[in-house]
Amino acid sequence: MKTSVAAWEIDTLLDHVDEDIEILSLDCFDTLIWRNVNMPVDVFHDLGIADCTMELRVLAEKRARKALILDKNKHDVTINEIYGKMFRETDETQIEQCIEKELLAEIRHCFAFRPITSLIEQAKIRGLKVIIVSDTYLPEPLLRRLIKEAAGQDVVDKIDRIFCSCEYGRGKAGGLFTPVLADLGVSPGKILHLGDNLEADFTAPNKLGIHGIHFEQFDDETSERLRLEAIAATILEKDTRKIAPSLQPHRAQISLRQESDATFQFGHDVLGPILQGFSRWIAEESDAIEATSGQKPKLLFLLRDGYLPAKAFTAAYPEYADQVAMVELSRFTANAASFTNKEAIQSFLMSEATGNKKDAYSSQRQAAYCRQLLFFGSEIPKLSGIKQPEAFIREILKPKNVKKIVARSRKFRAGLVAHLKKNGVETGDNVVFVDLGYNGSVQNVIAPVLESAMNLEISGRYLLLRELMITDLDKKGLIDIRHYDNSGLNALCESIAVLEQLCTQSNGSVLGYSESGEPKRDTADIKGKQNEERDHAQAACLTYIAQLGSGWATTPQSWDSDCARQMTAACLSRLLFLPVHREIGIFENFNHDVNLGTKDMLKFIDPESADKGIRRRGLFYTKNITRIYLPGELKQRGMEALLPLFTGNRFGLDLRQTDFQSGGLQIPVMLADSQENLQIEINAYPTGDGYYQALIPAGTGQFNIAIMLGQICDWLQIEEVNFQEVENFMAKKIDDNAVDAQPIFEAMTENAPGLYRCARQDAFMLIPPPAVGTGETLMLNLVFRPTILSKPVPASIKKVA
C-alpha cells in the first residue's frame, strides 16, 4: 500500500488499498477543505472584528494554548477559549459574535478540493464509511457547517462522523486516534487515513496500526515559490494600512500538475496563473466596452509579445474567438507609419533621446534612429557618423530628408492599413490593442494615425501599464496606477523583458508590409535552446489554461476580479524579483532582442558580470545599473541581495552608498607632489566575497600615491586599481571612463596572477600620476581582498564602523 500520494494520484488511491478497509478517514483542512490563501492565518485579515488584526488573533490563540499548562488532561483549545483570551474583559455574547465572524471569513475563502470529493464518492460506491479527523479549534457543529458551506450538502451527507481535536483535548499527533478507534469500535487495520501533515496524518495513525497515507500537496520548489509569491504580494500591495490576505486561487490546480520538468513546471505554475488573470480581465473589459459603445470590440493582440496572451485568452474564453486577431504591430512599425510631417519626426527624435546625451546619440543609436526613420542601408553611414547630436538632428530635419521620410512612411502606413484589414479590421471599428505593456507606446504613436486613416475608435488594455506622460488616450492596465503606486509599477518594469521573451513567437521582427498587408520579416536570430525552452513553457502555460478550475470541486467566494488581479501581480512580481533556483537554469541561454529594426541582443543573465560589479562596487552598485534580469544574476547571493533590490526599487528608497558601508579597515596612505608630502588614513569598506574598496583622493592627477598595504596584510589579492572621475562614479558602468594606473610594488611579490605577498610591514604599492590627464577631479580606486592579515595588527590600524 502507498505511504504517500500526490494530488494527481488521489483519484486511483482506493484501487490500491487492502480489501479489509472499511473506513476512509480524511483530514479536513488542506485535504478536503482548502483555503484560497497562502497560510491559514491569512484568513484572519478578513475577520471584520473591530480593532482585531491578524496578529492579535494569533496572540489570543497562543495565550489560550499557554493556559493549557494548568490542565494536564487537555492539550487542545476551542475557539471559545481563544476569543476568551482576545479581550481584557468580555462576555459570551461578544465571543459568539466573534466566532460567527471568523466562521464567515473561513466560508469566504474555503473550497472543496476536487480529488478528495471524488475520493469520497468512490468510497461510498465501494460501501466504505467516511469520517473526518481534524486538528481544529472548531467543535463538530461548526466544522460541519463550514464543510457544508465550502463543499456543499451533498458532500456533508456522505460524511458519517466528524472528530475534532478540540472536543477531545488532544490532537492527532497527541493521541486523538485512540478515542476515534474506541468510538468507532473497529480495529485499526480497518481504517485508511489520508492527510497533509506528515506527523499527524502518517506517523501517528501508523503507530496504532491505522493505514496512514501522507498527502504531499506540493514539491519543495513549488512550496517555496508559493511562499515567495505571498512575500512579493505583501511588498507590492499599495495600501499597507490594511494588509489583505495573500490570495492564491491557483494553488489547487498547481498541486495537480504531474510533470516535474523545470521548464514545464515554470510555464504551468507561473505563466499559467499570470495569463489566467490577464485573460479574465480582458474578457471583462471587452464586455464593459461593448456595454458602453453598443459594439463588440475587435481585440487586437499585438505581436510579437501578444502571441501567448492571445493563445491563452482564446483557450480560456473561446466564446470571444471571433473578436480576436493577432496583428503585427510593434513599436518599430508604429513609429515607421507615424511620420506624417516634420513635427512627427522631431517628436520621435526627442522622445527617444532619454538619459545620457552621449549614449542617446552614439553612432550606434544614430544608426538605429536612421533605420527607424526608414533610411536605406546605403544612406545610413552618411548620417550616423555625425558626432554632435544637434548637428545630427538638424541633418535629419533638412527638407530633402523630411520629404523622403514622409513619403516612405506614407507607403509604410498603407501597408499597415492593408495588414489590419487583412486581419478583419474594418473602417469605423472599435478596436482594443491588447499587449503586455508597459507604456502603451504603440498606442501613443499610432492611435492618431489610424483614427485618421480608418476612423477607428482605439483603446488599449495592458497587463502592466506605467504611463510616462499624461495622455488623453483610453488606456488601462490590469496592473496600473489604480491599484499600485508609481514606484511599484516602476519596479515591475525593470525586468519585464523576461515575460516579453517568454510570450513572444520565434518569427523575426517585422520591418514592413507588402501592398496586400503581408508582413516583411527580418530573420529570427534567436534560435536553438531558447526557442525550445520558450515553446515548452508556452505549451505548459496552455495546459494550465485548458484545465482551469480542475482543482476546485466548489469555487471559493473570494474568487473574483480583484482576486485574479492580486494573483497575477503576485506571480509576476515574484518572478521578476524573487526567482527560484531552477528558473535561473531556464534563462541562462536566453537573449533579449531589442526589436527596433536592429539585431541587438542582450543576455538575460550574466552572473559573472554581476559578481564582478558587486566585488568591485558592493551591493549598492545594483541600484544604478540596468540589466535584463538582475534578480536572476543575484539569486546565487540569496535574500541578502534580492530583498534590498526589490524593496529599494518597489518603494523608490533613497538608498546611498554610505548606507552599505560598515566594518571597514583603515589604510595608511602617502600623497606626494612636487611641493609637499601628506599622510592620511583611508577607510576601505567591504564590497562582496571578502573584497574591500578604497577610494583615495587624487586631485586632478598630480599626486604620487603610496598605499601601505604591508601594515594591513601579509597576503592580498588585487582585483582592480585605476583612476576614476569623482563625478557620477557610482552611476557608471564598471569600466566606463577608467584611467589606467601603473602600480610599482615595493617589497611586494606577485606569487600568482593578482595574488601578492608583502615581505615586510613597510611594503607598499606606489601609484604614479596618470600618464594622460583628464582635467577632472580624480580618485584612485583600489579593490582588494586581504587573504592573511598582518600579525600583530599595528595599533594605528583598527576596525572602523
Side-chain angles (χ1 to χ4, degrees):
M1 185 182 292
K2 290 178 176 289
T3 59
S4 66
V5 292
W8 56 270
E9 297 176 297
I10 291 174
D11 276 343
T12 60
L13 178 62
L14 295 181
D15 296 337
H16 306 286
V17 302
D18 297 339
E19 294 182 359
D20 57 350
I21 294 295
E22 297 179 358
I23 297 174
L24 172 64
S25 172
L26 297 169
D27 172 46
C28 183
F29 294 105
D30 291 323
T31 302
L32 169 59
I33 299 300
W34 287 37
R35 297 176 175 99
N36 185 27
V37 294
N38 177 251
M39 297 177 63
V41 296
D42 287 339
V43 172
F44 300 155
H45 288 298
D46 265 0
L47 292 178
I49 299 172
D51 299 324
C52 178
T53 64
M54 181 271 286
E55 291 78 11
L56 289 179
R57 168 59 178 80
V58 170
L59 286 172
E61 184 170 341
K62 287 182 177 179
R63 284 193 291 269
R65 293 190 182 281
K66 188 175 181 180
L68 291 175
I69 195 171
L70 301 175
D71 189 344
K72 294 182 180 180
N73 297 317
K74 187 176 180 182
H75 303 283
D76 205 357
V77 297
T78 67
I79 193 168
N80 295 68
E81 292 167 333
I82 292 171
Y83 278 104
K85 298 293 185 182
M86 173 72 75
F87 306 94
R88 188 175 66 175
E89 294 181 1
T90 187
D91 55 39
E92 287 300 320
T93 299
Q94 187 177 29
I95 290 174
E96 290 300 325
Q97 290 173 347
C98 290
I99 292 173
E100 179 64 16
K101 289 184 177 181
E102 179 166 329
L103 193 64
L104 291 175
E106 291 279 13
I107 289 170
R108 169 171 159 73
H109 293 293
C110 284
F111 62 92
F113 188 47
R114 184 204 56 77
I116 300 298
T117 60
S118 175
L119 182 67
I120 291 174
E121 188 172 339
Q122 293 177 43
K124 302 309 285 187
I125 292 172
R126 292 169 184 254
L128 303 182
K129 289 184 177 181
V130 176
I131 67 172
I132 300 294
V133 183
S134 177
D135 284 340
T136 178
Y137 37 74
L138 297 177
E140 191 269 348
L142 291 184
L143 185 58
R144 183 176 291 274
R145 177 185 165 192
L146 176 57
I147 294 172
K148 176 186 173 181
E149 296 289 343
Q153 185 65 52
D154 185 57
V155 171
V156 173
D157 289 344
K158 292 182 174 68
I159 297 172
D160 296 283
R161 293 284 304 274
I162 296 178
F163 297 90
C164 300
S165 62
C166 67
E167 295 184 321
Y168 290 85
R170 66 185 78 175
K172 284 177 282 189
L176 176 58
F177 283 105
T178 298
V180 169
L181 286 171
D183 281 5
L184 294 173
V186 298
S187 63
K190 301 284 187 181
I191 301 177
L192 173 70
H193 179 79
L194 176 68
D196 69 294
N197 187 287
L198 183 61
E199 176 64 25
D201 296 309
F202 176 74
T203 304
N206 275 282
K207 285 180 179 178
L208 297 175
I210 296 172
H211 299 291
I213 298 179
H214 180 219
F215 167 34
E216 297 180 346
Q217 285 180 293
F218 306 107
D219 57 60
D220 290 343
E221 184 173 288
T222 304
S223 295
E224 178 189 8
R225 191 187 316 109
L226 290 168
R227 179 176 57 82
L228 293 176
E229 283 175 9
I231 292 172
T234 301
I235 294 173
L236 183 65
E237 283 304 314
K238 179 177 179 180
D239 191 354
T240 56
R241 294 168 299 175
K242 180 183 181 299
I243 303 297
S246 181
L247 301 178
Q248 295 187 333
H250 51 305
R251 288 171 63 85
Q253 186 171 331
I254 286 174
S255 74
L256 288 167
R257 170 185 39 79
Q258 298 186 33
E259 295 83 353
S260 58
D261 169 77
T263 304
F264 188 96
Q265 183 172 327
F266 169 78
H268 183 277
D269 297 6
V270 182
L271 294 183
I274 289 174
L275 292 183
Q276 176 190 7
F278 187 39
S279 296
R280 173 175 173 144
W281 181 68
I282 292 298
E284 292 170 344
E285 286 296 306
S286 175
D287 292 346
I289 291 171
E290 182 181 359
T292 301
S293 66
Q295 179 185 9
K296 280 188 176 182
K298 298 281 179 65
L299 304 175
L300 305 184
F301 286 79
L302 307 187
L303 299 180
R304 295 176 295 164
D305 302 344
Y307 173 75
L308 184 59
K311 290 290 188 180
F313 177 75
T314 53
Y317 297 94
E319 63 270 27
Y320 292 80
D322 62 337
Q323 297 175 236
V324 172
M326 288 188 274
V327 298
E328 300 279 1
L329 183 53
S330 65
R331 185 152 62 103
F332 177 81
T333 59
N335 277 320
S338 72
F339 301 129
T340 55
N341 51 39
K342 179 179 179 180
E343 288 71 26
I345 298 168
Q346 182 171 323
S347 176
F348 163 75
L349 290 170
M350 294 299 99
S351 65
E352 290 295 314
T354 57
N356 183 281
K357 185 168 74 171
K358 178 181 177 181
D359 293 336
Y361 289 105
S362 66
S363 60
Q364 183 180 14
R365 296 304 298 169
Q366 287 179 358
Y369 299 155
C370 290
R371 283 188 287 270
Q372 177 67 88
L373 291 164
L374 302 176
F375 288 103
F376 300 144
S378 59
E379 299 170 320
I380 293 175
K382 300 175 185 178
L383 297 167
S384 61
I386 301 174
K387 293 184 178 181
Q388 292 298 324
E390 296 82 359
F392 170 74
I393 294 173
R394 282 196 297 269
E395 182 66 27
I396 293 294
L397 294 178
K398 284 183 177 179
K400 64 175 183 177
N401 286 327
V402 169
K403 183 178 180 180
K404 188 182 297 184
I405 295 167
V406 169
R408 292 172 182 176
S409 182
R410 185 183 306 113
K411 182 178 179 181
F412 196 104
R413 187 161 55 253
L416 171 58
V417 170
H419 175 70
L420 294 177
K421 290 182 176 180
K422 189 180 182 69
N423 283 278
V425 180
E426 300 175 0
T427 300
D429 271 349
N430 190 336
V431 302
V432 181
F433 289 165
V434 183
D435 198 7
L436 297 179
Y438 52 93
N439 179 41
S441 52
V442 169
Q443 184 182 356
N444 291 348
V445 172
I446 205 66
V449 175
L450 293 180
E451 286 167 358
S452 174
M454 298 182 71
N455 194 31
L456 299 180
E457 187 172 341
I458 299 173
S459 53
R461 297 297 182 264
Y462 305 96
L463 173 70
L464 171 63
L465 179 63
R466 179 211 55 187
E467 294 274 41
L468 298 178
M469 66 173 63
I470 298 174
T471 72
D472 59 354
L473 301 178
D474 180 2
K475 283 197 275 186
K476 290 181 184 178
L478 172 59
I479 302 170
D480 66 11
I481 198 66
R482 293 171 300 159
H483 301 104
Y484 303 95
D485 56 32
N486 203 57
S487 60
L489 297 175
N490 285 335
L492 292 177
C493 291
E494 288 289 325
S495 299
I496 197 63
V498 174
L499 185 65
E500 291 173 346
Q501 285 299 323
L502 289 162
C503 289
T504 190
Q505 54 184 167
S506 58
N507 297 335
S509 301
V510 173
L511 301 181
Y513 310 92
S514 68
E515 289 185 4
S516 64
E518 282 293 327
K520 297 178 181 179
R521 298 184 184 280
D522 191 8
T523 55
D525 287 339
I526 294 179
K527 302 173 182 177
K529 185 68 172 175
Q530 179 166 340
N531 280 341
E532 292 174 10
E533 295 280 16
R534 185 196 59 243
D535 292 349
H536 191 27
Q538 290 183 356
C541 171
L542 296 177
T543 297
Y544 175 93
I545 296 295
Q547 299 169 351
L548 288 178
S550 58
W552 291 346
T554 55
T555 302
Q557 295 178 19
S558 55
W559 170 243
D560 56 18
S561 300
D562 203 49
C563 176
R565 174 187 57 79
Q566 291 181 49
M567 171 187 69
T568 302
C571 291
L572 179 61
S573 57
R574 197 282 313 160
L575 167 64
L576 298 184
F577 282 98
L578 303 174
V580 297
H581 178 71
R582 291 206 301 171
E583 288 172 351
I584 307 306
I586 297 172
F587 299 134
E588 282 178 340
N589 297 313
F590 268 50
N591 290 284
H592 174 61
D593 53 334
V594 177
N595 190 23
L596 286 174
T598 75
K599 293 183 179 292
D600 294 348
M601 292 285 175
L602 298 173
K603 291 181 67 174
F604 262 34
I605 296 176
D606 188 357
E608 291 184 4
S609 180
D611 283 346
K612 179 180 177 182
I614 290 176
R615 283 199 307 271
R616 296 188 175 188
R617 301 292 184 269
L619 187 60
F620 184 76
Y621 166 70
T622 63
K623 185 175 185 287
N624 295 315
I625 61 173
T626 300
R627 302 292 273 267
I628 295 297
Y629 194 26
L630 183 58
E633 298 175 345
L634 298 180
K635 169 63 179 176
Q636 60 191 340
R637 294 181 176 271
M639 280 292 183
E640 63 184 30
L642 293 175
L643 272 184
L645 177 66
F646 187 8
T647 55
N649 286 349
R650 185 263 171 270
F651 294 109
L653 302 179
D654 183 21
L655 295 174
R656 304 185 180 187
Q657 184 181 12
T658 53
D659 300 327
F660 292 80
Q661 293 177 336
S662 63
L665 293 170
Q666 285 188 344
I667 308 176
V669 174
M670 298 287 294
L671 303 177
D673 61 13
S674 58
Q675 298 179 347
E676 62 178 335
N677 295 332
L678 178 66
Q679 181 171 340
I680 61 175
E681 287 189 335
I682 293 294
N683 293 333
Y685 289 104
T687 54
D689 300 332
Y691 285 86
Y692 288 73
Q693 180 184 47
L695 300 175
I696 302 166
T700 55
Q702 73 269 32
F703 292 112
N704 286 285
I705 302 174
I707 306 171
M708 315 304 292
L709 293 169
Q711 295 188 32
I712 298 296
C713 47
D714 295 334
W715 289 82
L716 73 154
Q717 289 176 268
I718 296 179
E719 168 73 14
E720 179 185 35
V721 55
N722 53 39
F723 290 98
Q724 296 275 352
E725 294 178 359
V726 172
E727 187 176 4
N728 297 322
F729 168 56
M730 289 300 297
K732 299 173 183 174
K733 295 179 181 178
I734 293 176
D735 299 317
D736 278 1
N737 301 322
V739 179
D740 287 342
Q742 305 296 327
I744 301 169
F745 298 98
E746 176 64 31
M748 294 177 62
T749 56
E750 188 174 20
N751 288 263
L755 178 64
Y756 290 85
R757 177 178 179 270
C758 296
R760 306 188 306 266
Q761 283 202 336
D762 61 352
F764 63 90
M765 178 173 65
L766 177 66
I767 313 295
V772 179
T774 66
E776 301 291 334
T777 303
L778 301 177
M779 59 186 173
L780 181 67
N781 169 49
L782 170 65
V783 179
F784 69 102
R785 175 161 62 183
T787 56
I788 300 178
L789 293 173
S790 297
K791 296 182 180 179
V793 177
S796 62
I797 310 301
K798 57 182 180 297
K799 288 271 187 177
V800 295

